Amino acid sequence: MRLTGGQVFDPEHGFQVRDLCVENGKIAADAQDAVRVEGCWLIPGLTDLHFHGCRGEDFSDGSPQGLAVMAEYELSRGVTQICPAGMTLAEEQLVQICRTAAAHRTAGLPGAELVGINLEGPFLSAAKKGAQNGAWLQPPSLSLLERLLEASEGLVKLVSVAPELEGALDFIRGAAGRVTVSVAHTAADYDTALAAFQSGARQVTHLYNAMSPFGHREPGVVGAAADSPGVMCELICDGVHVHPAVVRATFRMMGRERMLLVSDTMRAAGMGDGDYTLGGQAVHVTGSRATLADGTIAGSVTDLMACLRTAVSFGIPLADAVTAAAVNPAKVLGIYHRVGSLDVGKDANLAVLDQRLELRAVLFRGQVVWGSL
C-alpha cells in the first residue's frame, strides 16, 4: 500500500509531503495500490509510558481481561505501544500486576503492544504522595525491585523514587543499570535532586506535579533536571495538570529532545463523568478533571493523542509534540529500533490525522485497525 499526498513525519526534518509505503507489516521503500491521503498528517503510532487505566479498567487491578480492554482502547486512540503504570500497592498486588502483564505479552492478544511496566510507587514521599495510597509507601528496596523484575519476566522498564528517602541514592545507583529510574512524588530540593541525577536517575515523573514548585531561589527538581543533560521530563498536557504557559516554557527550557508527553490516565478515560477509583481511593470526575475527595488532582482522563492535540493548541509545534509522544518514549523504552518513527524497515504502526488533528485511521503492523483510509 502506498499512501500518497500526505504530510509525513520525519524526526530530523519535521513534515514532508511524500509517499509512505507499507508492505508485510513494515514501512517499505516501495509499494503498489496507491491510497490518497491529501491534507492528512501521517505520524508514528504513539507510545504511552505512563498511564494507569481507561474504559473502566485499571492496571493496578491485576485483571487479565481489564488489561486486554485497556490495550484495545489505547490502540483505537492511535497509541500503538503501551507501558502501563502501577500505583503504590502491597507487594503481593505489585507481583500480581507484573505477572498479569507478562502473561498478556506472551499471549499476543489484540490491541496496542505492551512493551513495559512503569512502577510509580511504592518508593515515594508521604509529603508529596498525591493520589498514591500512603498506607503502602516504603523505603526504596533493590530486593523488591528484583522480585518484581522476575515476576514481570523483565518487563519492568521504569521505577519512580523520591530521592530524599533514606537509601534512595544507593537504590538509584543499584537500579540504574537495570531500569530507568525516575524522580517522582518528592519534596527534594535542588541539591538532592541533582545528586539523584548524578547517581543515575534519568527521568522525572510528571514534571511539576507532586513536587516542590520551580522557584527563583529554590529551583527544586525542575531546576536540577534542567541542569542535567540527558534527563527526560514527563509532562501531562491535558489542560488540567500544567498551565499552557508552563508547557511552552518547559519545551523551550528542556528542548523537544528531552520531553515526554504522557497521559497519566485513570480508569475513567473513555468514560463519562462520575465516581471511580484509583489505587483503591475514591475519585470524582467532572469533564476533564479527576480529583480525590480533598480536591487533589488524581490522574487524567485525557488519552495521549488528545494530549498531543492539546499541546499543539498551546502553541507547541506539531513536530515537537510528535517527537515527545512517539519518538522519545520509544527511545526511553529501548524500542526505537523498530517503532517510534516512519523509517523504512520499522513496524508499520502509524496514525493518520485529518487537518484538525483528529484521528482518521490507525494502522498497526500494516493493517487498518481503526477508522478508514
Side-chain angles (χ1 to χ4, degrees):
M1 174 172 53
R2 179 186 293 271
L3 302 176
T4 67
Q7 295 268 1
V8 180
F9 174 78
D10 179 272
E12 298 299 324
H13 304 103
F15 286 91
Q16 301 174 323
V17 178
R18 64 173 177 85
D19 292 353
L20 182 69
C21 298
V22 175
E23 285 287 340
N24 300 317
K26 302 288 185 179
I27 305 296
D30 196 12
Q32 304 300 314
D33 302 324
V35 177
R36 303 195 68 82
V37 288
E38 287 94 343
C40 291
W41 306 91
L42 278 60
I43 67 172
L46 309 185
T47 297
D48 199 345
L49 55 69
H50 185 167
F51 81 107
H52 298 276
C54 52
R55 294 298 300 167
E57 306 293 343
D58 191 313
F59 182 53
S60 291
D61 294 342
S63 163
Q65 297 80 12
L67 184 52
V69 168
M70 290 164 56
E72 293 212 51
Y73 175 76
E74 292 298 318
L75 185 58
S76 77
R77 307 314 306 146
V79 180
T80 52
Q81 296 80 225
I82 56 173
C83 178
M87 294 283 287
T88 296
L89 305 166
E91 179 174 346
E92 55 268 28
Q93 188 64 15
L94 290 171
V95 169
Q96 176 61 32
I97 67 174
C98 287
R99 288 175 174 165
T100 298
H104 179 95
R105 180 180 63 173
T106 300
L109 297 172
E113 180 188 4
L114 195 151
V115 295
I117 296 169
N118 182 343
L119 295 177
E120 189 191 6
F123 312 134
L124 310 176
S125 164
K128 293 290 184 180
K129 64 184 177 62
Q132 303 280 340
N133 190 335
W136 301 115
L137 292 172
Q138 63 172 280
S141 168
L142 283 170
S143 60
L144 175 55
L145 177 61
E146 289 291 342
R147 291 192 293 274
L148 297 176
L149 277 164
E150 181 179 3
S152 71
E153 299 177 15
L155 264 179
V156 173
K157 301 298 182 185
L158 300 111
V159 60
S160 292
V161 63
E164 70 271 27
L165 298 179
E166 183 176 357
L169 296 184
D170 286 338
F171 173 87
I172 291 169
R173 285 188 282 267
R178 305 290 305 278
V179 298
T180 295
V181 180
S182 188
V183 170
H185 289 271
T186 173
D189 60 13
Y190 173 90
D191 291 332
T192 303
L194 191 64
F197 298 135
Q198 292 171 340
S199 297
R202 288 293 176 266
Q203 194 160 309
V204 182
T205 300
H206 44 52
L207 192 71
Y208 302 107
N209 297 114
M211 62 188 63
S212 299
F214 180 37
H216 66 294
R217 292 192 182 93
E218 297 181 358
V221 174
V222 179
D227 280 349
S228 302
V231 170
M232 306 297 290
C233 299
E234 296 180 11
L235 207 60
I236 307 170
C237 287
D238 62 350
V240 174
H241 282 78
V242 183
H243 191 279
V246 176
V247 172
R248 292 188 292 272
T250 305
F251 268 81
R252 289 194 296 268
M253 177 168 58
M254 303 296 181
R256 72 174 187 174
E257 68 279 358
R258 296 177 58 192
M259 297 303 302
L260 298 165
L261 289 186
V262 299
S263 71
D264 198 20
T265 53
M266 56 166 291
R267 70 172 79 241
M271 308 287 282
D273 292 356
D275 295 315
Y276 299 89
T277 60
L278 177 64
Q281 300 188 89
V283 176
H284 183 74
V285 174
T286 303
S288 58
R289 183 179 290 269
T291 56
L292 300 180
D294 64 1
T296 300
I297 295 176
S300 161
V301 296
T302 305
D303 66 76
L304 186 57
M305 189 63 75
C307 286
L308 182 149
R309 283 195 300 273
T310 301
V312 173
S313 76
F314 289 170
I316 303 304
L318 179 58
D320 291 1
V322 172
T323 298
V327 176
N328 296 343
K331 290 180 177 179
V332 166
L333 294 171
I335 56 175
Y336 187 64
H337 61 287
R338 60 183 182 84
V339 297
S341 72
L342 301 176
D343 296 333
V344 171
K346 291 194 175 185
D347 291 351
N349 296 351
L350 62 138
V352 181
L353 310 180
D354 65 20
Q355 291 180 327
R356 300 174 301 163
L357 304 184
E358 297 289 343
L359 269 175
R360 173 171 164 177
V362 179
L363 279 72
F364 185 63
R365 296 169 182 163
Q367 300 296 314
V368 177
V369 294
W370 186 89
S372 61
L373 294 172

